[in-house]
mmCIF file of all heavy atoms in Angstrom:
data_model
loop_
_atom_site.group_PDB
_atom_site.id
_atom_site.type_symbol
_atom_site.label_atom_id
_atom_site.label_comp_id
_atom_site.label_asym_id
_atom_site.label_seq_id
_atom_site.Cartn_x
_atom_site.Cartn_y
_atom_site.Cartn_z
ATOM 1 N N ASN A 33 -6.913 0.105 4.850
ATOM 2 C CA ASN A 33 -6.721 -0.435 3.505
ATOM 3 C C ASN A 33 -6.358 0.690 2.556
ATOM 4 O O ASN A 33 -6.883 1.792 2.676
ATOM 5 C CB ASN A 33 -7.996 -1.109 2.992
ATOM 6 C CG ASN A 33 -8.357 -2.324 3.793
ATOM 7 O OD1 ASN A 33 -7.495 -2.998 4.310
ATOM 8 N ND2 ASN A 33 -9.640 -2.594 3.898
ATOM 9 N N VAL A 34 -5.475 0.401 1.613
ATOM 10 C CA VAL A 34 -5.139 1.335 0.546
ATOM 11 C C VAL A 34 -5.392 0.619 -0.769
ATOM 12 O O VAL A 34 -4.808 -0.431 -1.023
ATOM 13 C CB VAL A 34 -3.661 1.792 0.616
ATOM 14 C CG1 VAL A 34 -3.328 2.700 -0.557
ATOM 15 C CG2 VAL A 34 -3.371 2.482 1.923
ATOM 16 N N ILE A 35 -6.281 1.172 -1.564
ATOM 17 C CA ILE A 35 -6.533 0.646 -2.907
ATOM 18 C C ILE A 35 -5.859 1.611 -3.858
ATOM 19 O O ILE A 35 -6.155 2.804 -3.853
ATOM 20 C CB ILE A 35 -8.038 0.576 -3.210
ATOM 21 C CG1 ILE A 35 -8.739 -0.304 -2.182
ATOM 22 C CG2 ILE A 35 -8.277 0.058 -4.626
ATOM 23 C CD1 ILE A 35 -10.248 -0.238 -2.257
ATOM 24 N N GLY A 36 -4.927 1.104 -4.654
ATOM 25 C CA GLY A 36 -4.240 2.017 -5.540
ATOM 26 C C GLY A 36 -3.295 1.353 -6.512
ATOM 27 O O GLY A 36 -3.140 0.133 -6.551
ATOM 28 N N GLU A 37 -2.652 2.202 -7.304
ATOM 29 C CA GLU A 37 -1.716 1.788 -8.346
ATOM 30 C C GLU A 37 -0.290 1.884 -7.820
ATOM 31 O O GLU A 37 0.094 2.889 -7.229
ATOM 32 C CB GLU A 37 -1.895 2.715 -9.546
ATOM 33 C CG GLU A 37 -1.001 2.423 -10.716
ATOM 34 C CD GLU A 37 -1.217 3.406 -11.841
ATOM 35 O OE1 GLU A 37 -2.386 3.750 -12.118
ATOM 36 O OE2 GLU A 37 -0.228 3.841 -12.423
ATOM 37 N N VAL A 38 0.497 0.838 -8.050
ATOM 38 C CA VAL A 38 1.886 0.809 -7.595
ATOM 39 C C VAL A 38 2.723 1.707 -8.501
ATOM 40 O O VAL A 38 2.717 1.559 -9.718
ATOM 41 C CB VAL A 38 2.438 -0.629 -7.592
ATOM 42 C CG1 VAL A 38 3.916 -0.635 -7.230
ATOM 43 C CG2 VAL A 38 1.649 -1.491 -6.631
ATOM 44 N N LYS A 39 3.430 2.648 -7.883
ATOM 45 C CA LYS A 39 4.275 3.590 -8.618
ATOM 46 C C LYS A 39 5.746 3.189 -8.569
ATOM 47 O O LYS A 39 6.475 3.358 -9.543
ATOM 48 C CB LYS A 39 4.099 4.988 -8.024
ATOM 49 C CG LYS A 39 4.911 6.062 -8.686
ATOM 50 C CD LYS A 39 4.627 7.410 -8.065
ATOM 51 C CE LYS A 39 5.465 8.496 -8.701
ATOM 52 N NZ LYS A 39 5.202 9.798 -8.082
ATOM 53 N N GLU A 40 6.193 2.642 -7.422
ATOM 54 C CA GLU A 40 7.597 2.294 -7.239
ATOM 55 C C GLU A 40 7.710 1.141 -6.252
ATOM 56 O O GLU A 40 6.973 1.071 -5.277
ATOM 57 C CB GLU A 40 8.343 3.509 -6.685
ATOM 58 C CG GLU A 40 9.797 3.281 -6.384
ATOM 59 C CD GLU A 40 10.450 4.477 -5.703
ATOM 60 O OE1 GLU A 40 9.796 5.526 -5.518
ATOM 61 O OE2 GLU A 40 11.625 4.354 -5.353
ATOM 62 N N ILE A 41 8.632 0.241 -6.535
ATOM 63 C CA ILE A 41 8.933 -0.856 -5.615
ATOM 64 C C ILE A 41 10.404 -0.737 -5.236
ATOM 65 O O ILE A 41 11.265 -0.639 -6.099
ATOM 66 C CB ILE A 41 8.655 -2.224 -6.251
ATOM 67 C CG1 ILE A 41 7.175 -2.336 -6.646
ATOM 68 C CG2 ILE A 41 9.040 -3.347 -5.295
ATOM 69 C CD1 ILE A 41 6.840 -3.574 -7.419
ATOM 70 N N ASN A 42 10.659 -0.730 -3.940
ATOM 71 C CA ASN A 42 11.991 -0.558 -3.402
ATOM 72 C C ASN A 42 12.219 -1.679 -2.389
ATOM 73 O O ASN A 42 11.278 -2.323 -1.956
ATOM 74 C CB ASN A 42 12.036 0.814 -2.720
ATOM 75 C CG ASN A 42 13.404 1.240 -2.309
ATOM 76 O OD1 ASN A 42 14.156 0.469 -1.743
ATOM 77 N ND2 ASN A 42 13.722 2.487 -2.586
ATOM 78 N N ALA A 43 13.442 -1.918 -1.982
ATOM 79 C CA ALA A 43 13.724 -2.949 -0.981
ATOM 80 C C ALA A 43 13.084 -2.619 0.370
ATOM 81 O O ALA A 43 12.754 -3.517 1.136
ATOM 82 C CB ALA A 43 15.223 -3.120 -0.816
ATOM 83 N N GLU A 44 12.873 -1.333 0.649
ATOM 84 C CA GLU A 44 12.338 -0.914 1.942
ATOM 85 C C GLU A 44 10.859 -0.579 1.928
ATOM 86 O O GLU A 44 10.200 -0.654 2.963
ATOM 87 C CB GLU A 44 13.106 0.310 2.433
ATOM 88 C CG GLU A 44 14.576 0.051 2.659
ATOM 89 C CD GLU A 44 15.328 1.316 3.025
ATOM 90 O OE1 GLU A 44 14.677 2.345 3.309
ATOM 91 O OE2 GLU A 44 16.567 1.275 3.017
ATOM 92 N N PHE A 45 10.312 -0.184 0.791
ATOM 93 C CA PHE A 45 8.921 0.263 0.748
ATOM 94 C C PHE A 45 8.319 0.064 -0.635
ATOM 95 O O PHE A 45 9.020 -0.197 -1.605
ATOM 96 C CB PHE A 45 8.803 1.734 1.156
ATOM 97 C CG PHE A 45 9.547 2.676 0.255
ATOM 98 C CD1 PHE A 45 8.959 3.156 -0.911
ATOM 99 C CD2 PHE A 45 10.833 3.090 0.560
ATOM 100 C CE1 PHE A 45 9.644 4.024 -1.747
ATOM 101 C CE2 PHE A 45 11.522 3.962 -0.267
ATOM 102 C CZ PHE A 45 10.931 4.421 -1.424
ATOM 103 N N ILE A 46 6.996 0.216 -0.687
ATOM 104 C CA ILE A 46 6.250 0.237 -1.947
ATOM 105 C C ILE A 46 5.520 1.569 -1.994
ATOM 106 O O ILE A 46 4.827 1.929 -1.039
ATOM 107 C CB ILE A 46 5.245 -0.926 -2.025
ATOM 108 C CG1 ILE A 46 5.992 -2.259 -1.982
ATOM 109 C CG2 ILE A 46 4.390 -0.827 -3.279
ATOM 110 C CD1 ILE A 46 5.089 -3.461 -1.883
ATOM 111 N N ARG A 47 5.688 2.322 -3.063
ATOM 112 C CA ARG A 47 5.017 3.617 -3.221
ATOM 113 C C ARG A 47 3.752 3.394 -4.035
ATOM 114 O O ARG A 47 3.791 2.831 -5.130
ATOM 115 C CB ARG A 47 5.936 4.614 -3.910
ATOM 116 C CG ARG A 47 5.393 6.018 -3.925
ATOM 117 C CD ARG A 47 6.371 7.002 -4.511
ATOM 118 N NE ARG A 47 7.570 7.160 -3.702
ATOM 119 C CZ ARG A 47 7.663 7.959 -2.639
ATOM 120 N NH1 ARG A 47 6.630 8.637 -2.253
ATOM 121 N NH2 ARG A 47 8.797 8.055 -1.988
#
Side-chain angles (χ1 to χ4, degrees):
N33 295 329
V34 177
I35 302 170
E37 180 182 319
V38 175
K39 180 178 179 181
E40 177 186 356
I41 300 173
N42 190 315
E44 298 175 11
F45 61 85
I46 298 173
R47 188 175 294 277

